[in-house]
Amino acid sequence: MSLIKNKINSENLPKHVAIIMDGNGRWAKSRGEERSFGHKNAINAVRNAINACNEIDIPYLTLYTFSSENWSRPTEEVNTLMNLLVETLLLEAEEIFSKGLRMHVIGNLNKLPTLVKEQLQRVVDLTKENTKGNLVLAISYGSQNEILEAVKNISSDVKEGKVEVENIDEKLFENYLYTKDFPPVDLLIRTSGEIRISNFLLWQIAYAELQFLNVLWPDFTKDIFFQCIVDYQNKERRYGLTGEQIQGQ
């Protein structure tokens, strides 16, 4: 049993953790290898994050798998990432299913190669009845585009008389986002020492706790994840209120 895991208060867990998985390229470069070597060795870190969530019953985990900006990377690297995604889905589908996890995919999936879309849909269909937890893959995802698409769709519904302008509020707006069926993010983790959000879940992290780790993604372990949860639990989440107001509730 992990000593760090023992420090976690099971009554104060985040409902939704999101991770920006960064540092694969630098990890590979530090070993004199190509970037693709880092991507391939990142799979174990993904398993660690999924297993850690599963062990302590965190119901939602979202992984920033491939951003809309990543399409601008060298073609060879993009192809490697797409092929690796297909291979990983083939290898991990049964494991995800057996853990009782339901997989979801968010992003502009129209840009994905057909084989990738087919494999994603296969795992989504395979796990759709699972209720133990939710694994959300953000693929070809960009938050600014998500928000713009939501605005366009709301505008269209207003034009068609389906929505009244005065009824547009935060709750209604959220129904137009990819994440409409998920709770807001409580904890956002980014690896690699970079301190930025990179166009990830901008609306959904409005009141999330943010943790930026000086560890490259392939080195991410379950104990690192558990420590993030302990640190999260040591924070007072005020949602704009004062500490005294929170304590008086």
Side-chain angles (χ1 to χ4, degrees), residues 139-206:
I139 301 176
S140 189
Y141 174 87
S143 187
Q144 289 178 329
N145 183 68
E146 176 188 23
I147 291 170
L148 283 173
E149 286 300 313
V151 170
K152 290 177 184 177
N153 290 331
I154 290 175
S155 299
S156 177
D157 283 350
V158 168
K159 187 176 180 180
E160 294 177 14
K162 298 177 182 178
V163 172
E164 298 292 334
V165 172
E166 56 270 22
N167 291 335
I168 299 175
D169 57 13
E170 289 91 342
K171 187 172 181 61
L172 185 145
F173 185 80
E174 287 169 356
N175 286 329
Y176 287 81
L177 298 175
Y178 297 142
T179 55
K180 63 182 180 179
D181 297 320
F182 313 146
V185 176
D186 295 307
L187 171 62
L188 173 69
I189 300 168
R190 181 178 186 139
T191 58
S192 87
E194 301 292 349
I195 304 176
R196 57 176 180 267
I197 304 303
S198 296
N199 197 19
F200 184 47
L201 299 175
L202 299 177
W203 177 279
Q204 296 86 345
I205 63 169

Side-chain angles (χ1 to χ4, degrees), residues 21-28 31 35 37-46 48 191-192 215-221 224:
M21 307 179 292
D22 193 21
N24 295 345
R26 274 167 284 172
W27 187 89
R31 288 159 173 76
R35 292 176 62 86
F37 181 75
H39 297 313
K40 291 173 183 175
N41 279 274
I43 302 304
N44 196 51
V46 173
N48 288 336
T191 58
S192 87
V215 59
L216 301 177
W217 179 246
D219 293 326
F220 189 85
T221 65
I224 291 173

Side-chain angles (χ1 to χ4, degrees), residues 58-207:
I58 291 176
Y60 288 86
L61 172 66
T62 297
L63 301 177
Y64 205 4
T65 308
F66 190 87
S67 76
S68 54
E69 290 78 18
N70 286 157
W71 290 113
S72 299
R73 290 189 176 186
T75 301
E76 182 178 352
E77 182 175 355
V78 171
N79 289 340
T80 296
L81 285 166
M82 290 296 115
N83 290 334
L84 185 59
L85 180 56
V86 171
E87 292 172 15
T88 303
L89 288 167
L90 285 169
L91 291 172
E92 302 294 329
E94 190 59 39
E95 181 73 9
I96 293 170
F97 175 79
S98 66
K99 282 183 166 59
L101 303 178
R102 181 177 180 182
M103 196 179 86
H104 311 262
V105 186
I106 59 173
N108 182 4
L109 306 185
N110 292 329
K111 296 188 70 173
L112 293 172
T114 300
L115 182 58
V116 175
K117 285 190 285 189
E118 288 176 350
Q119 285 302 118
L120 287 168
Q121 190 59 53
R122 185 180 75 87
V123 183
V124 167
D125 290 342
L126 175 69
T127 63
K128 65 183 179 181
E129 302 299 330
N130 286 356
T131 58
K132 178 69 166 58
N134 295 272
L135 172 62
V136 185
L137 302 184
I139 301 176
S140 189
Y141 174 87
S143 187
Q144 289 178 329
N145 183 68
E146 176 188 23
I147 291 170
L148 283 173
E149 286 300 313
V151 170
K152 290 177 184 177
N153 290 331
I154 290 175
S155 299
S156 177
D157 283 350
V158 168
K159 187 176 180 180
E160 294 177 14
K162 298 177 182 178
V163 172
E164 298 292 334
V165 172
E166 56 270 22
N167 291 335
I168 299 175
D169 57 13
E170 289 91 342
K171 187 172 181 61
L172 185 145
F173 185 80
E174 287 169 356
N175 286 329
Y176 287 81
L177 298 175
Y178 297 142
T179 55
K180 63 182 180 179
D181 297 320
F182 313 146
V185 176
D186 295 307
L187 171 62
L188 173 69
I189 300 168
R190 181 178 186 139
T191 58
S192 87
E194 301 292 349
I195 304 176
R196 57 176 180 267
I197 304 303
S198 296
N199 197 19
F200 184 47
L201 299 175
L202 299 177
W203 177 279
Q204 296 86 345
I205 63 169
Y207 282 100

